[in-house]
Amino acid sequence: MTYALGQPPLTGYPTDVPTFYESLASTVEKKEPVALGIITEVRGSSPQKVGAKALFFEDGRIIGTMGGGCLEAEIQDRARQALRTGKSETFDLVLDHDFGWDDGLVCGGRVSGIILPRILSAAPIWNELAKRQNKRIWGVTMDDHMMWADTSEASGLDWRYRETVAPPCTLWIAGAGHIAQAVAPLALNLDFAVTVFDDRPALANHEFFPHEVTLRVGDWKEILDDSLSEHGTFGLIVTRGHRHDALVLRHWINSDFAFLGMIGSRRKARTIREHFLAEKIGSEDALSRLSCPVGVNIAAQTVPEIAVSIIAQYINERASYVTQQNSSIPSPDPERKPARLVSAVD
């Protein structure tokens, strides 16, 4: 697959995929019979983590996932039962040979959760979560009531499940070339709010980027002084050359990014680090947090492959950041923290 600079890369990248809570709010608005399934506890190995959710419809449709295979099939059967009775159900499933051998699901862990068939009563919660304008905490009490968990009325209650929902993290991409054109639509579909910075209006426009992408076009020194988002800003430097990369890094290196990555080689990283330290542009601590080369080592060669390697690392780093910000919410995998990974762009 060839990928020329300035070639619109949007085909095959839909950017209007609704989030889970948008789908939930839309379903409730239509008053469709549906049950909400949530994984509330995981012990050992499992195909999904705490907080995994799915909507189970009477006609067999599923939005979201509880892990697929026999695990999801079992939960779906229980969801149908909950829809018939109108009563919430809990589940506690051991993923052993007897349970999942036919489907190849023999993880050996244990998954617990709840199925809620009467979600229409919580419509105001779903509508606010779908908008994601403010950071909110909602939850399910031990007697299966869905309510806000961040109000005075919620203090002292016993919770079966709680979740923090915040506006999407922001991804700032410096550079509007072929790498940025491939990364931006992927990032949008993966729940980042994307802003692209460049001094070239011929490239930094919506012919080459989805309309949901914010564009900051102009002199670098002026456009790079924007304030970081209070909900977490991730930076990616992929300009047209080392000189411009260094110019952007000079502006961003001492800012409080949740994560900052730059494309390039290890040699480039060493050279810039030595120069910045000598010129006292950035501290040792700040430069140690810069990930260069950026991306997961998947032997990427083509532009789409490089984009996948980059966005994979940002997903990983975002999981770590969100866990740190929401300490009451269990880690996606407490035994495996997000790692600093090496790029194939070397």
Side-chain angles (χ1 to χ4, degrees), residues 216-293:
R216 298 283 284 115
V217 188
D219 182 83
W220 283 110
K221 295 180 181 179
E222 296 177 0
I223 64 176
L224 293 175
D225 288 333
D226 288 4
S227 299
L228 301 184
S229 168
E230 62 181 276
H231 303 292
T233 301
F234 293 70
L236 172 63
I237 303 175
V238 285
T239 73
R240 58 187 178 273
H242 296 344
R243 183 171 67 86
H244 287 88
D245 284 349
L247 185 154
V248 174
L249 186 61
R250 178 186 292 266
H251 280 76
W252 284 1
I253 190 60
N254 294 308
S255 298
D256 190 23
F257 281 92
F259 176 73
L260 181 60
M262 182 170 68
I263 201 165
S265 65
R266 293 183 181 87
R267 181 175 182 275
K268 172 183 175 179
R270 287 195 301 271
T271 300
I272 288 181
R273 178 180 177 278
E274 292 168 0
H275 173 69
F276 274 43
L277 287 175
E279 297 293 327
K280 294 183 170 53
I281 298 171
S283 67
E284 184 84 49
D285 182 59
L287 288 164
S288 69
R289 294 195 300 270
L290 172 68
S291 182
C292 179

Side-chain angles (χ1 to χ4, degrees), residues 26-345:
S26 175
T27 298
V28 168
E29 183 179 5
K30 297 173 186 175
K31 293 183 170 53
E32 293 186 71
V34 66
L36 169 62
I38 308 172
I39 292 180
T40 60
E41 185 179 0
V42 170
R43 284 150 285 175
S45 179
S46 81
Q48 263 293 14
K49 307 303 178 187
V50 171
K53 292 179 286 294
L55 297 176
F56 297 95
F57 295 82
E58 286 184 324
D59 61 6
R61 286 177 294 139
I62 301 175
I63 294 177
T65 181
M66 306 288 278
C70 55
L71 171 62
E72 193 156 277
E74 176 68 23
I75 298 172
Q76 185 176 29
D77 284 342
R78 297 176 184 230
R80 289 195 182 101
Q81 175 66 19
L83 284 171
R84 284 193 294 269
T85 64
K87 297 180 180 180
S88 301
E89 290 201 14
T90 59
F91 57 87
D92 188 27
L93 305 174
V94 179
L95 309 181
D96 58 11
H97 288 263
D98 293 333
F99 178 73
W101 180 255
D102 288 342
D103 288 326
L105 185 61
V106 288
C107 305
R110 193 180 192 115
V111 174
S112 302
I114 186 169
I115 301 166
L116 303 162
R118 303 178 65 181
I119 62 173
L120 290 177
S121 62
I125 294 178
W126 315 136
N127 290 333
E128 184 165 344
L129 294 181
K131 297 174 184 176
R132 294 179 68 188
Q133 295 175 339
N134 301 292
K135 183 176 180 180
R136 295 300 309 265
I137 305 174
W138 77 279
V140 183
T141 63
M142 294 303 293
D143 55 0
D144 300 338
H145 287 298
M146 295 157 282
M147 59 184 294
W148 293 118
D150 54 6
T151 64
S152 58
E153 293 81 1
S155 61
L157 295 178
D158 292 327
W159 298 92
R160 191 184 301 277
Y161 175 76
R162 281 185 293 181
E163 179 181 344
T164 301
V165 179
C169 294
T170 296
L171 174 60
W172 283 4
I173 305 176
H178 51 308
I179 299 296
Q181 293 170 19
V183 168
L186 286 175
L188 285 175
N189 276 340
L190 292 165
D191 201 31
F192 284 96
V194 181
T195 298
V196 172
F197 300 76
D198 208 296
D199 61 347
R200 298 169 292 177
L203 284 179
N205 63 66
H206 287 123
E207 180 181 356
F208 303 113
F209 292 94
H211 286 281
E212 296 88 346
V213 171
T214 300
L215 300 174
R216 298 283 284 115
V217 188
D219 182 83
W220 283 110
K221 295 180 181 179
E222 296 177 0
I223 64 176
L224 293 175
D225 288 333
D226 288 4
S227 299
L228 301 184
S229 168
E230 62 181 276
H231 303 292
T233 301
F234 293 70
L236 172 63
I237 303 175
V238 285
T239 73
R240 58 187 178 273
H242 296 344
R243 183 171 67 86
H244 287 88
D245 284 349
L247 185 154
V248 174
L249 186 61
R250 178 186 292 266
H251 280 76
W252 284 1
I253 190 60
N254 294 308
S255 298
D256 190 23
F257 281 92
F259 176 73
L260 181 60
M262 182 170 68
I263 201 165
S265 65
R266 293 183 181 87
R267 181 175 182 275
K268 172 183 175 179
R270 287 195 301 271
T271 300
I272 288 181
R273 178 180 177 278
E274 292 168 0
H275 173 69
F276 274 43
L277 287 175
E279 297 293 327
K280 294 183 170 53
I281 298 171
S283 67
E284 184 84 49
D285 182 59
L287 288 164
S288 69
R289 294 195 300 270
L290 172 68
S291 182
C292 179
V294 68
V296 177
N297 187 358
I298 57 172
Q301 293 183 334
T302 67
V303 169
E305 289 173 347
I306 293 170
V308 169
S309 77
I310 290 172
I311 204 65
Q313 184 172 15
Y314 280 72
I315 293 170
N316 204 39
E317 295 293 341
R318 179 177 60 183
S320 177
Y321 172 79
V322 170
T323 298
Q324 292 168 5
Q325 296 298 305
N326 306 323
S327 57
S328 63
I329 305 301
S331 168
D333 190 342
E335 297 179 357
R336 181 185 175 202
K337 297 180 180 179
R340 296 284 176 172
L341 304 168
V342 180
S343 175
V345 185

